[in-house]
Amino acid sequence: MKVDAFDFTLPPELIADRPAVPREAAKLLLVGEQLGDYTVADLPGLLREGDLLVFNDTKVIPARLCGMRRSAKIEVTLHKNVSADSWHAFAKPAKKLKPSDIIRFSDDFTALVTEKFDGGEVALSFSATGPELMEKLMAYGEIPLPPYISSLRAVDEQDRRDYQTIFAKDEGAVAAPTAGLHFTEDLLEQFRSRGIGMVTTTLHVGAGTFLPVKVEDTEDHRMHAEVGILTQATADAINETRVQGGRIVSVGTTSLRLLESAADASGKIHPFNGETDIFITPGYKFKAVDLLITNFHLPKSTLFMLVSAFSGLEKMKAAYTHAIAEKYRFYSYGDCSLLYPKP
């Protein structure tokens, strides 16, 4: 499909630069046969006993670093962990870098450029490894807020709290699974009391999620791979829910991409541990997910393509037109939607 088919105009004042307080006060747009305006606090009443929520428990790391290559300033955003001391990263300005260059972030923290790829991507080998590398990132790194937020204001300490879900435990993401940002312990207790189940998976969201689609046709776009883990216990819980007639509710597009990667042709979920570069566009046949909770996405983005595949392009365009008219807040810190699949 032509990428322009996924375009729309968003007033810039609707871009959220902080999350709702309390988090469950965020608006929620139900997108089914009709559109309905709710809040996240209404979600337990919109689901049914026996449904199963699938969350992503990845934890965002301070993956943006500013350093020097001799006299030139270099910014890198890590996006894929390769080994205990090595990451792939997007560098700005990448043209100033070549293999064997050293980027210095502090007197005791550097990275060697070991390889250079297309699109501003480089491979880095750090002077620290394992837990020590994570300590250095915590000391010198910055939470990599999406450009549409960091261009509005400076990243601060509050973002280190706000840009994590309450499920976050497995370090490795450089972007938050933002649908999960709306959930609180009080909301989880309501799900439990109503017989709505919950499980977690892990998909380490990469910085590639922020990259614009630069091609004219979706068939020519290359997705960056992300690492996902889905355990046997989680697979069993999902499969049993289906057997019992419950619905699988994916909290976020990251959980959905992992579930679809772990599903066979019949929709049965199998354990998964590895990379996925699944790219979902209209025409894709969903196997694993019955409902999707997700934020509002950028025009012409791979995520808007995914939700258009799930609920239908015209339905999603109508939903976004309604959300703009009703002044829903967009993107990572914004409001969310509960999507039903197209018939």
Side-chain angles (χ1 to χ4, degrees):
M1 292 182 67
K2 294 297 183 184
V3 171
D4 284 345
F6 302 93
D7 199 10
F8 59 89
T9 300
L10 178 73
E13 63 268 20
L14 296 184
I15 299 173
D17 69 346
R18 296 284 186 190
V21 179
R23 294 197 179 198
E24 64 264 41
K27 292 181 179 180
L28 181 148
L29 179 61
L30 188 150
V31 182
E33 292 184 8
Q34 305 292 328
L35 301 178
D37 297 302
Y38 298 89
T39 68
V40 173
D42 297 317
L43 189 55
L46 296 174
L47 302 180
R48 300 195 300 240
E49 181 179 356
D51 287 345
L52 183 69
L53 290 154
V54 182
F55 296 97
N56 185 356
D57 67 5
T58 189
K59 187 172 185 178
V60 181
I61 63 173
R64 185 167 292 145
L65 294 161
C66 291
M68 302 292 292
R69 183 203 63 101
R70 295 191 288 277
S71 62
K73 290 183 179 179
I74 302 291
E75 178 185 292
V76 298
T77 301
L78 311 185
H79 79 88
K80 181 183 176 183
N81 187 211
V82 179
S83 69
D85 66 351
S86 301
W87 282 77
H88 286 184
F90 296 110
K92 292 194 304 184
K95 65 182 179 181
K96 292 185 179 290
L97 294 176
K98 63 182 185 298
S100 78
D101 277 346
I102 300 254
I103 305 173
R104 184 170 297 279
F105 306 109
S106 72
D107 289 341
D108 62 348
F109 186 38
T110 62
L112 171 70
V113 179
T114 58
E115 198 169 354
K116 192 170 181 180
F117 310 105
D118 293 334
E121 186 179 1
V122 296
L124 300 177
S125 178
F126 286 93
S127 59
T129 186
E132 183 188 0
L133 174 56
M134 193 56 59
E135 290 176 7
K136 297 295 186 185
L137 293 178
M138 294 298 293
Y140 300 112
E142 180 181 90
I143 290 292
L145 283 189
Y148 46 77
I149 296 176
S150 58
S151 65
L152 298 176
R153 61 167 178 82
V155 180
D156 57 28
E157 277 301 308
Q158 184 177 334
D159 290 305
R160 290 209 176 200
R161 300 184 298 274
D162 286 347
Y163 202 56
Q164 300 282 12
T165 73
I166 62 171
F167 310 96
K169 67 174 186 178
D170 194 348
E171 293 174 331
V174 300
T178 54
L181 295 178
H182 301 289
F183 291 82
T184 62
E185 289 295 343
D186 180 65
L187 204 56
L188 302 191
E189 186 54 41
Q190 291 186 55
F191 292 134
R192 295 185 190 101
S193 68
R194 290 172 179 263
I196 298 166
M198 293 172 283
V199 294
T200 59
T201 60
T202 305
L203 185 75
H204 292 313
V205 192
T209 192
F210 301 139
L211 294 180
V213 178
K214 296 181 178 180
V215 296
E216 294 183 0
D217 196 289
T218 57
E219 290 188 3
D220 299 323
H221 180 68
R222 179 178 70 91
M223 291 286 284
H224 282 80
E226 296 166 319
V227 174
I229 302 168
L230 192 153
T231 65
Q232 182 69 62
T234 295
D236 290 344
I238 293 169
N239 294 328
E240 181 60 23
T241 296
R242 274 276 172 75
V243 169
Q244 297 299 325
R247 299 175 299 182
I248 306 305
V249 185
S250 177
V251 180
T253 56
T254 60
S255 295
L256 182 145
R257 292 177 64 240
L258 181 54
L259 289 169
E260 292 295 321
S261 300
D264 62 25
S266 71
K268 183 178 181 180
I269 301 294
H270 299 271
F272 187 96
N273 190 337
E275 294 185 345
T276 177
D277 61 358
I278 187 172
F279 180 28
I280 297 175
T281 58
Y284 179 86
K285 302 300 182 184
F286 289 87
K287 307 180 291 292
V289 173
D290 301 301
L291 297 173
L292 171 62
I293 299 168
T294 185
N295 284 22
F296 292 92
H297 305 295
L298 279 72
K300 297 199 289 188
S301 64
T302 60
L303 300 181
F304 186 62
M305 294 171 192
L306 184 155
V307 297
S308 298
F310 191 78
S311 294
L313 178 56
E314 294 310 312
K315 173 70 77 173
M316 290 311 303
K317 283 190 169 183
Y320 274 47
T321 297
H322 175 88
I324 290 169
E326 295 298 319
K327 297 194 173 356
Y328 277 66
R329 300 164 73 242
F330 274 62
Y331 305 161
S332 293
Y333 277 154
D335 298 317
C336 73
S337 57
L338 172 62
L339 307 185
Y340 279 71
K342 65 181 181 180

